[in-house]
Amino acid sequence: MSRTDDPDSEDKTTDTEKIAESNPIHWDEAPNNRKAPNERRTVSHSEEKDDAKKIVTGEAKYTADYAREFPDLAEAEVVRSDIAHGVVTDIDTSAAEAMDDVYAVVTPDSPEVPEKPYTSAGQSYPEPSPWDLRVLRRTVRFVGDPIAAVVAEDKDTASKAARKLDVTYDEYDAVFDTAEAMEPDAPQLHSADDVENLQPGADYERNIEAQMSGEIGDVDAAFSKAEESEDLTVIETEWETPYQSHCVPEPHTTIAHRDEDNRYHLISSTQVPYHTRRQLSHLFDVPIRDIQVSKPRIGAGFGSKQGMITEPLTMALTDAADRPVKVETTRREQFHALRNRRPARVELRSVVADDGELEAIDMEAVTNSGAYGPHGMTVASAVGKKPLPLYTHTPNIRYEMTAVHTNLPIAGAFRGYGAPQGHLAVEGHMDEIARELDIDPIDLRSRNVISEGDLEVASGILKDKEYGRRIRSCGLDECIAEGRAAIGWDDVDQPEADHLHRACGMALTIQGSGVPGEELGAAHIKMNEDASFILQTGAVDIGPGADTVMAQIAAEVLSVPPEDVLVQPSDTDISPFDHGAYASSTTYITGQAVKKAAEEARGMLFEFASRMLGEPESAFTVDDGAVISEITGESVSIEEIGYESMYGDEVRAQVMGDASHCTEESPPPFGAQFVDVTVNEETGEFEIHDMVYAVDCGVALNPALVEGQIEGAMHMSYELATGDGITFDEDGQPQTLGFRDYDMPTTADQPPLTSLIVETHEPTGPFGAKSVAEIPVNGVPPALSNAVRRAVGVRIGDMPITPEKIAAALDDD
Amino acid sequence: MEIDITLNGDDVTFEIARSDTLLDVLRDNGYTGAKRGCDTGNCGFCTVIVDGDPVKSCIRPVSQLAGTEVETIENLGTQDDLGPVQSAFVDNSALQCGFCIPGMIMRSKALLEENPDPDEADIRDALSENLCRCTGYEKIIDAVQDASTRMSGEADVAADGGRVSTDATCHGCDCLEGGSDK
Ligand code: FES
Ligand code: FES
């Protein structure tokens, strides 16, 4: 439901008109981009994942599995700070150095270790993250900061030697709470002099890494008006989420060595090979051409591998030890020393009319970056920018974010990228409005929510006022209808027992498809004689099946079976450039580059067919492995063209294509999360009967893989809603050091998950696709919180939702 | 020191250190299907079968295993001729990054050998020490149920492992002319 602009706000009207003009509804879509389901050969079919068979036989090779290829491979142990804040005054390395089979003991003073500051965040250049990290650190800012490393013949020896290092600290006061960290007398973590590439609003004296705000309309005026008007209600809520671990299955691992040309070669578990290559080049002052980053199979990333975690140290160590080195992190390090989802506190105020129409939203988020700043500004921005577009029609919106340092582990990128924290606040708040006004929560949302054809401006709230995007596909209504039916929203059977109460809760969700205007994906495809194709992309398949979807896109264009398109894993020496696997961009961005490249190759097939059959190129189409004339019906097989192109008498030319794709568009996928819960009002215990998530990701290019994304993301979302996260004692010592201390759901306690796919068609995406990898991670915390509220009347706004909190809140009532 | 075991049906002798775990020895000798996810016995990625029982190889000292029969994922089938549990995982799309899958399959195989007809609760119970971060377990449970059916001969297993029907799931779609539920 598009709403006309607020006539009172002249500023906004002008901006909106300008934005509307530059984002017209019409999109010049190529006719062959839109195929009816019965015309699709391979897209929207659940094709087998291209690595499935090697995974189930154990032959898929991950970074650590390459160790045997390096007979003189050394292994390393990282020595980490065991205090939360201080400075290392001395490291005695003599005992370790004296040990047999120890090849190097490295400290910040070692010549191989760069002094320069950098950010680990694998982002576009220049990175929108402060350069505040050093490979090894003299000043330590959390328990887990790397201060030295030992390289030895094997891991055991390295660990033994590492324990012999004698470290002396000068200990400082530490701060663990974001509110306290901003107080004037709080311990200061960073000095602005030691940080480069500062982010907007940085105020290191107050431990503020970044601070930004933006406004659409006039929020203060809306609240003043509400004070005077009987028909306007003000609602205020508060929300909180803890540290969450990625629990990434494959611990971060890097093997670094010098190849026969003396270039650095890294095999690494990374989501961002190209960013890593560039960042290593800058950090080590080595030309980009002298670094190769190869990505083997990856044991998933979820954002934890969107950055250089093990790569810089491994590169320094291979020089120090003068041999190939492997750094394989431990699960303990994964939990306390690497990256996490950042905790957030969000306050939300709104003005709403009696009929449920939103007049103003005022949102304020404070995120805990932990000790350093990778992804700090961008994630804190996303806490508001991601969910607010659902309610972009609200005439007055303000968002303010502050990213704050504490002496706790480094937060980083994590699937959803701030959106889960923001969705809890926004979608929890919507239910509070509905409750206050006695409106059905779904009706309230339907009255205000974005829909197809609308101009969306809220995602640009922190940018200049020129930013907006046209919503060209939106299946929210269908997602709501299907999810509502599947969960049984309209007929919840109350349990017999009086102390048990059952209810459904829901939340809407939204994400993006790539970072608008930023990301670049490129592809190269070439044909073999036998009508098979080699596809090279920089797309980084970290597990979800991106390579399979890329093969499907190329196969659809060329009308060959997807197994005839062989996709090569990303390698900076071989694949075209790509920003990497993040921001839900691969299908949408790189997929479009693959489509264009395949179309170029198809054009060459038509050129050959034209010569071979004596008909104009425009006469041809491809079907089932052959090029066919639509005029005469004559055809030539793609295989015949393959041989002709390479060994023919007339023209010899490699059939191939290449293309890049970068766009200002980032069409949001949409989804609706539903949770069905029964709560025991005496104990606070609750049982989840079902979690249903319905998604509109445009055309689902591989439905089975899409379902896999939904189910896996809902599992993580459920964990954020109910798990304790990572905890620390009063000295900042981590209490969560392994899976046994962490509430990751197992088969025994994971509630059932139901995934539903609603098809829409996104004209800007390859064959109508948008993204799906992140969006389903946003919904369970608000939907479960809303369900509990509807069941027993109490609101748990600080995650996790636990029986103890519910019981305590019921007691307070 | 040396140790003799039966590995995937063959008698083998490995050179070991006293502190080596079974996982260390397997991986050092090229059996890299078993993965190291935690090294503390809490993820199950390293699960193999020892004398018929599923075992987390990262916490099993190899020096205790003289004379035992060890089976790893490498013994189950080849890409051209998958075993029934493997093909069930493939056909049910029960894998993403794959890092947990060799362990998950070995655990499932051990379960199905002991209980050929498990219900969902049995499967959830048996697999509860094997984590998976990617799938939410839904398709893995389906795969184990499917494998049980295949192994009891109720379903034909095609030579290629049997591809499932791959029609689009387009629910109530009205976005295209002619677009309808399949
Ligand atoms: S590696 Fe053995 S249980 Fe995790
Ligand atoms: S498939 Fe990735 S952990 Fe299970």
Side-chain angles (χ1 to χ4, degrees), chain A residues 564-634:
Chain A
D564 288 358
V565 179
L566 284 72
V567 185
Q568 292 196 323
S570 174
D571 183 309
T572 56
D573 268 16
I574 298 165
S575 340
F577 182 84
D578 198 284
H579 276 222
Y582 61 91
S584 296
S585 64
T586 303
T587 298
Y588 183 73
I589 301 286
T590 313
Q592 197 68 279
V594 168
K595 182 160 180 275
K596 290 186 210 168
E599 283 166 352
E600 193 175 299
R602 188 181 57 191
M604 282 190 76
L605 292 177
F606 293 165
E607 284 171 29
F608 274 100
S610 164
R611 277 191 289 271
M612 291 164 81
L613 297 176
E615 294 187 49
E617 281 168 39
S618 58
F620 294 108
T621 179
V622 278
D623 189 29
D624 213 4
V627 177
I628 299 166
S629 160
E630 290 185 309
I631 302 171
T632 61
E634 292 279 305

Side-chain angles (χ1 to χ4, degrees), chain A residues 49 62 65 707 719 747, chain B residues 27 35 96-97 133 139:
Chain A
K49 209 159 160 282
Y62 303 78
D65 302 333
E707 287 168 11
E719 177 190 287
T747 48
Chain B
R27 290 187 58 83
K35 301 301 177 202
Q96 288 184 38
C97 80
R133 194 50 158 173
K139 295 191 189 315

Side-chain angles (χ1 to χ4, degrees), chain A residues 374-390:
Chain A
H375 300 279
M377 184 279 284
T378 39
V379 174
S381 302
V383 171
K385 270 166 42 176
K386 295 279 185 206
L388 286 171
L390 283 170

